[in-house]
Amino acid sequence: MESWGEFEQTSEGKEYIVCAELYISATAAVALRKTINPRKKGDKRESVKQLNGNVDDKKLKEKTSWLSGTKGSPGEGHWRTATCKLSDQGERCLLNIYLDESLMWCTIPIHLLNQFDIRESSSSLTFRKNCLAIHRAAGKHWALFPNLEDTIYLQFNSVNACNTWLALLRSYALPEIYGRRFVSAEGGSYRMWRQVDLNVIQGRNLGNSKPFEILDEDGNDSASEPDPVDLDVRCEILLNETLCAQTTVKKGIGSPQWHEIFCLSDLPPFETLEIRVLGEKKLFKPSVLGTVRIPLTNFRRGEAVEGWFPVLQSGFIANDLQVGEIRMKIRVDEEIILPYNAYHKLLKTLRTRNFLDWMADFETKLKVKTLGWQMLAISIADGTAIDQVQELANREVDGSQSSHTTLFRGNTILTKVMELCMKYYGKAFLEASVGPVIKRLITEKVAIEVDPMRTPKGAKEAEKGLELLVNWCQEFWKQINSVREECPPEMRRLFSTIRQLVEDRFPNNGNNAYQEKRDLRWQGVSAFCFLRFIVPAILNPHLFHLHPGLPSPPVQRSLTLIAKVIQSLANLNTSVQKEEFMRGMKGFLTENTQAMVEYIDVVSTPKDTRTQELVEFHERSTVISALKQRTSSMPVLQRESIPLLPHSNLDVPRQLAIVTSAVIRHSQAYFTGNNPSAEDRELHEFCARCFEVEEKALLRVSQLAAQLSAHQQRRHHSYPYPSTTASASPQPPSPNPPPSPSNRAGRPTTAPDAENSRTRLITESTITLDVPPSSPSSSTTFQPRNKLLHFKSSSTDSIASRFLRDAPSSSSIMVSTSSSIDIDDPKRKRGLLRGIWRR
């Protein structure tokens, strides 16, 4: 039994034990030192040794994170080996964390935490993968150390261990389920899910202070161009004042380029998203230059917003100062998730066709291009993903009219889904193939140039660059070829199908006309494995999370040249080179062509992995069995809120809710009447099922709001989770009426337009999350913050300037919750509910 999967049955309850790495910051280390060393001179050296570990232990001398402050400061935290013991004590569940198997570090009451307090940690914070972050609830303290950090970071030794413990901890935490006291049959009425996708693109004029509202009559910046400020900058992303992620450090002169993507999922109720810009200087602590503050309450859901956001610094007297701008792309999602059985008819319709055919209709007819992952996740949960992709590949090759030179080179539904499959199944394989070499090349800042026109010393320097290029290409190819046996079985099946289809479609019968096609079966596989997977990762490692941040221009040029050579090798092309200066790579390509053929042969040959799967399952079988036994007695909604192992992000009701929202949002513009054509009949039926699900969600929301408003009129200003004292039994929901054209006129919203924001806030205050009184969020109330919201900026192309031009006045966006509204008024209630969930 591996150390991460131990399970014990004691007289007091069940215990689960795992070995992990615990992050200890400098502040926590001081508290630990005081606890270990009670000011005894003889124990000083031993306590310091126990705190910092053995000097010869190289595991502790790795790259540290920025969680605790100054870059490169000697007081930064470090990682220590810890033992985590989860104790199930009936109504209570405690997570005890020990250092050195004996020293108690802290005790976390898991039963008092919400499920969204336990989530995966961004690797940008810890520089490690397979990490969980356990956030402290407001007003609570970790036992033993009251001043301990708000977040505990734990790293596990594998993806399976991380996913297993994520599911295990969440099974004891409080799910965000609404109406648990009114709807007992399913454990509640519905649950919520939230996610923020953030792309920090670039900055400009960072560090230059000027009044926030210096605009001329035309709305343009009247001030002269600011002088550049020489400093290093980075950004911290905070949600509800909790640090969630951060960017890398860039030079602040000019326009620093980040292009870093962050996906923050399983989030608590939205308040404010903050992007804090910090300036870095050697031997000094980071200083806050300014902050971009975005209120998410009224942010549009399901739509990506891109633009320049002003970075503001609080002024000493009255006005704030603008200290630059950050260009970002933001998408906010918030979905009502019903029980699984509410999507029965929708799933039945979905399974009548290949999910790739549905995706084609969504993209071409509804213009929805963001549902690829959701559709793939549903098919993965059904166990039919690979079979359906193979079916479409067979159809595409059989009906292809293109030549062998363009086969699988277009941007089709098949190629897009193949990319998604490779990213999903081959994440660890890609990391093993090119991750170590890419990190070493970027760390050493290797600059390769072989074009004499780009080098200051001309041909001589280009010759040295060519030798360097050959050496690094050999390093990349050696690493790629060494891990070919680690190719996942799902990718092997897909590549095997592609190879067989190409062999059948373009047979090699020995004629001269087919002589040039003898290697086409290998090229068909490499068109996916290299052209759409490995080579793009070499070109843009930050997009595949192989290295944080955008590489510097010289390093990016080196990666581009290496990617060109590796792609030529994958194409089995040794003679044709477009650039004259690249012809020196012919020897490398000729030498490794046969090795590339053998590589493609291995990754496109299915492999029996049943023995390996049985071993992996046996290692975690005890914990999984105990988890299944525990969840079997849970209510439906609570059971469905726990991830499906071995995955951490497969939640079929959630994926169906996202698909439903997107289809409804885009279907109204496509279907103008009730008489669809024959080719649109299947899509029309799918849309009708989506509207049925939407009506069920609206019915549950309205019923719950009506029941709560009758008992909580006095507390309708509390936010976000007021405690409830309702004792009346709920009325059973009425049967859902069939969808009608009149019901399809509007889509309910979670984020209304500016003029409806006041109504939404008052309505939301009447919808409560039923949690026990001891819940950490049961006493939380909404406090309006006296912080400046971004409604305008000194730049005409900024997001704030757009708000200023479009909105009649900023007062229509600022929300007040002090006035009371009679929510028992039937007319007001209908309008109020209409404004809740419109997307």
Side-chain angles (χ1 to χ4, degrees):
M1 182 66 62
E2 291 292 331
S3 60
W4 66 270
E6 294 184 4
F7 169 77
E8 296 180 1
Q9 182 76 39
T10 65
S11 58
E12 298 179 355
K14 300 176 181 178
E15 289 186 350
Y16 307 86
I17 302 174
V18 66
C19 289
E21 293 286 313
L22 171 69
Y23 178 80
I24 302 178
S25 68
T27 304
V30 172
L32 178 62
R33 183 182 295 114
K34 292 180 179 179
T35 303
I36 299 175
N37 183 12
R39 297 185 179 180
K40 291 183 179 180
K41 295 183 179 180
D43 296 338
K44 182 177 181 180
R45 183 170 300 177
E46 292 298 328
S47 63
V48 173
K49 184 177 181 180
Q50 186 177 11
L51 173 66
N52 297 324
N54 193 346
V55 179
D56 297 332
D57 189 358
K58 295 183 179 180
K59 289 185 177 180
L60 301 180
K61 294 183 178 182
E62 60 183 42
K63 188 176 182 180
T64 58
S65 69
W66 293 324
L67 287 169
S68 57
T70 311
K71 175 184 176 183
S73 64
E76 282 189 355
H78 56 271
W79 293 85
R80 289 281 299 274
T81 301
T83 301
C84 302
K85 180 183 291 186
L86 184 68
S87 301
D88 181 357
Q89 303 175 1
E91 296 181 356
R92 301 171 67 239
C93 179
L94 302 178
L95 177 63
N96 297 316
I97 301 178
Y98 300 87
L99 295 179
D100 302 325
E101 299 183 356
S102 60
L103 177 63
M104 173 72 77
W105 174 247
C106 67
T107 298
I108 304 175
I110 300 297
H111 62 283
L112 296 181
L113 298 181
N114 296 296
Q115 284 188 350
F116 49 69
D117 293 328
I118 306 170
R119 54 184 184 264
E120 296 183 25
S121 173
S122 172
S123 59
S124 64
L125 293 178
T126 61
F127 298 112
R128 293 192 174 197
K129 298 181 180 181
N130 306 327
C131 287
L132 290 185
I134 305 177
H135 299 272
R136 185 175 66 181
K140 299 294 180 180
H141 300 283
W142 308 127
L144 300 183
F145 293 95
N147 297 324
L148 204 60
E149 290 80 5
D150 292 344
T151 306
I152 298 292
Y153 294 94
L154 293 172
Q155 187 206 15
F156 298 87
N157 59 4
S158 67
V159 177
N160 288 334
C162 184
N163 294 341
T164 301
W165 273 78
L166 174 65
L168 184 62
L169 293 175
R170 284 188 175 179
S171 69
Y172 289 96
L174 297 170
E176 188 181 357
I177 297 176
Y178 290 75
R180 287 193 294 181
R181 297 190 179 184
F182 294 96
V183 184
S184 59
E186 297 172 334
S189 184
Y190 55 87
R191 56 190 174 101
M192 296 295 298
W193 169 81
R194 303 173 188 86
Q195 178 173 296
V196 173
D197 294 292
L198 175 65
N199 184 1
V200 182
I201 303 175
Q202 66 180 118
R204 64 184 180 189
N205 303 330
L206 296 177
N208 291 282
S209 301
K210 61 181 178 180
F212 179 52
E213 300 180 359
I214 299 183
L215 297 175
D216 56 21
E217 296 179 355
D218 298 330
N220 298 319
D221 188 359
S222 59
S224 59
E225 192 69 22
D227 297 328
V229 178
D230 185 9
L231 80 165
D232 295 340
V233 293
R234 63 181 172 94
C235 301
E236 291 182 345
I237 294 93
L238 296 90
L239 183 73
N240 300 351
E241 300 184 353
T242 299
L243 181 64
C244 297
Q246 65 181 357
T247 66
T248 54
V249 179
K250 297 293 182 181
K251 289 290 184 182
I253 297 180
S255 297
Q257 303 279 339
W258 279 289
H259 296 277
E260 298 183 29
I261 301 174
F262 305 94
C263 179
L264 310 177
S265 188
D266 299 321
L267 297 176
F270 292 137
E271 291 182 18
T272 304
L273 176 67
E274 296 183 10
I275 293 85
R276 186 182 298 165
V277 183
L278 292 90
E280 298 266 358
K281 288 187 178 181
K282 294 182 179 180
L283 304 179
F284 291 95
K285 291 184 178 181
S287 59
V288 179
L289 301 180
T291 303
V292 179
R293 188 171 293 109
I294 304 170
L296 297 180
T297 305
N298 297 324
F299 203 94
R300 296 292 297 180
R301 273 35 168 183
E303 298 177 7
V305 177
E306 181 178 347
W308 290 95
F309 292 79
V311 181
L312 302 184
Q313 185 182 70
S314 298
F316 292 100
I317 303 177
N319 295 330
D320 285 9
L321 297 177
Q322 180 173 336
V323 290
E325 291 178 303
I326 297 288
R327 185 185 176 194
M328 298 183 296
K329 185 176 182 180
I330 305 174
R331 177 188 170 98
V332 178
D333 290 290
E334 185 177 24
E335 296 294 342
I336 297 175
I337 304 176
L338 302 179
Y340 184 85
N341 56 14
Y343 303 96
H344 174 71
K345 292 183 178 179
L346 179 63
L347 266 176
K348 186 177 180 180
T349 304
L350 184 66
R351 290 166 177 165
T352 58
R353 301 172 65 194
N354 192 309
F355 81 94
L356 290 100
D357 295 331
W358 289 116
M359 284 182 56
D361 285 349
F362 294 159
E363 289 196 8
T364 58
K365 299 177 181 179
L366 301 185
K367 309 303 179 184
V368 183
K369 300 182 180 180
T370 58
L371 296 180
W373 159 242
Q374 282 73 28
M375 300 297 291
L376 177 62
I378 295 171
S379 62
I380 290 175
D382 289 343
T384 61
I386 303 301
D387 295 334
Q388 294 190 56
V389 174
Q390 290 174 326
E391 177 191 346
L392 187 65
N394 195 359
R395 278 190 280 157
E396 183 165 318
V397 172
D398 290 344
S400 175
Q401 300 297 326
S402 58
S403 65
H404 66 281
T405 58
T406 59
L407 186 64
F408 302 131
R409 302 284 172 166
N411 204 15
T412 63
I413 294 295
L414 174 63
T415 57
K416 291 179 182 178
V417 173
M418 284 286 289
E419 291 178 10
L420 289 175
C421 289
M422 290 186 293
K423 289 181 180 179
Y424 182 80
Y425 291 110
K427 185 177 180 181
F429 175 63
L430 182 65
E431 170 71 27
S433 297
V434 295
V437 188
I438 287 178
K439 292 175 183 177
R440 183 154 57 92
L441 183 141
I442 296 178
T443 302
E444 297 178 6
K445 299 180 181 179
V446 177
I448 304 175
E449 186 52 70
V450 295
D451 187 356
M453 302 300 294
R454 291 172 175 254
T455 57
K457 296 183 181 179
K460 292 184 179 181
E461 187 172 352
E463 291 179 1
K464 294 181 180 179
L466 187 62
E467 295 178 2
L468 191 60
L469 178 61
V470 171
N471 292 335
W472 277 100
C473 287
Q474 289 175 345
E475 291 290 327
F476 270 85
W477 172 240
K478 179 181 178 181
Q479 181 65 28
I480 293 172
N481 195 30
S482 65
V483 297
R484 58 186 180 181
E485 296 291 343
E486 299 180 18
C487 184
E490 295 84 1
M491 291 177 59
R492 287 172 177 257
R493 288 179 57 190
L494 293 176
F495 294 155
S496 176
T497 301
I498 297 298
R499 172 180 164 183
Q500 186 63 44
L501 290 175
V502 174
E503 289 178 352
D504 296 341
R505 178 70 170 81
F506 302 100
N508 184 9
N509 57 10
N511 297 334
N512 294 332
Y514 291 95
Q515 189 64 26
E516 61 180 5
K517 303 175 185 177
R518 64 187 184 277
D519 296 327
L520 188 58
R521 55 180 178 175
W522 313 120
Q523 294 173 353
V525 175
S526 68
F528 290 105
C529 185
F530 283 90
L531 181 63
R532 299 182 177 275
F533 190 50
I534 294 179
V535 170
I538 298 175
L539 279 172
N540 300 291
H542 62 290
L543 297 181
F544 291 80
H545 304 286
L546 297 177
H547 192 274
L550 190 69
S552 61
V555 175
Q556 186 66 54
R557 173 63 176 170
S558 303
L559 293 173
T560 301
L561 293 173
I562 294 172
K564 283 184 177 181
V565 177
I566 297 299
Q567 185 59 56
S568 296
L569 180 61
N571 293 338
L572 308 179
N573 183 5
T574 61
S575 58
V576 180
Q577 296 293 332
K578 295 182 180 180
E579 300 92 348
E580 180 68 27
F581 54 82
M582 293 292 290
R583 296 185 183 273
M585 299 302 300
K586 183 176 181 179
F588 168 81
L589 297 175
T590 304
E591 180 183 350
N592 295 283
T593 298
Q594 184 59 35
M596 174 59 74
V597 172
E598 296 174 359
Y599 176 92
I600 298 176
D601 182 44
V602 170
V603 300
S604 61
T605 301
K607 182 180 180 181
D608 187 7
T609 59
R610 287 177 294 179
T611 303
Q612 180 181 358
E613 291 175 355
L614 288 175
V615 172
E616 293 179 354
F617 178 78
H618 178 69
E619 291 176 354
R620 61 179 189 272
S621 59
T622 53
V623 177
I624 293 178
S625 299
L627 184 60
K628 287 183 178 180
Q629 182 180 1
R630 170 174 170 75
T631 56
S632 61
S633 60
M634 290 181 178
V636 175
L637 278 174
Q638 185 176 357
R639 181 172 63 249
E640 294 175 358
S641 66
I642 300 172
L644 296 176
L645 294 176
H647 312 280
S648 64
N649 51 4
L650 282 189
D651 186 341
V652 176
R654 180 208 303 174
Q655 313 302 342
L656 291 172
I658 297 173
V659 171
T660 299
S661 299
V663 169
I664 291 178
R665 191 181 299 118
H666 294 82
S667 62
Q668 298 177 12
Y670 183 74
F671 294 109
T672 56
N674 295 323
N675 297 320
S677 60
E679 61 180 7
D680 294 336
R681 194 170 300 278
E682 293 176 329
L683 182 59
H684 193 278
E685 181 182 357
F686 186 87
C687 293
R689 296 290 176 261
C690 291
F691 278 101
E692 290 179 2
V693 172
E694 186 71 7
E695 289 181 358
K696 292 179 183 179
L698 281 175
L699 181 62
R700 290 177 181 240
V701 170
S702 61
Q703 287 178 342
L704 182 59
Q707 290 171 336
L708 291 174
S709 63
H711 298 278
Q712 296 186 352
Q713 233 176 352
R714 297 179 182 179
R715 301 189 181 188
H716 69 275
H717 290 298
S718 60
Y719 184 86
Y721 303 135
S723 59
T724 178
T725 58
S727 59
S729 60
Q731 298 294 330
S734 59
N736 297 318
S740 61
S742 61
N743 291 335
R744 302 178 186 177
R747 160 77 176 159
T749 120
T750 52
D753 295 330
E755 60 271 14
N756 296 329
S757 59
R758 173 190 174 114
T759 304
R760 176 181 180 267
L761 277 184
I762 297 174
T763 304
E764 281 186 337
S765 66
T766 67
I767 303 178
T768 65
L769 172 64
D770 300 313
V771 295
S774 60
S775 169
S777 58
S778 60
S779 60
T780 306
T781 57
F782 174 67
Q783 301 282 347
R785 302 176 184 233
N786 187 19
K787 294 184 178 179
L788 178 63
L789 304 182
H790 286 130
F791 302 128
K792 53 184 176 179
S793 168
S794 59
S795 300
T796 57
D797 58 348
S798 68
I799 292 294
S801 298
R802 204 173 305 165
F803 286 159
L804 178 63
R805 292 192 301 268
D806 297 341
S809 64
S810 60
S811 61
S812 63
I813 303 178
M814 299 296 289
V815 181
S816 172
T817 60
S818 58
S819 61
S820 121
I821 290 182
D822 183 10
I823 56 177
D824 286 338
D825 183 4
K827 294 183 179 179
R828 182 61 59 90
K829 184 185 296 184
R830 284 196 300 270
L832 179 145
L833 291 173
R834 248 193 322 265
I836 299 179
W837 308 112
R838 184 184 315 152
R839 284 175 173 77

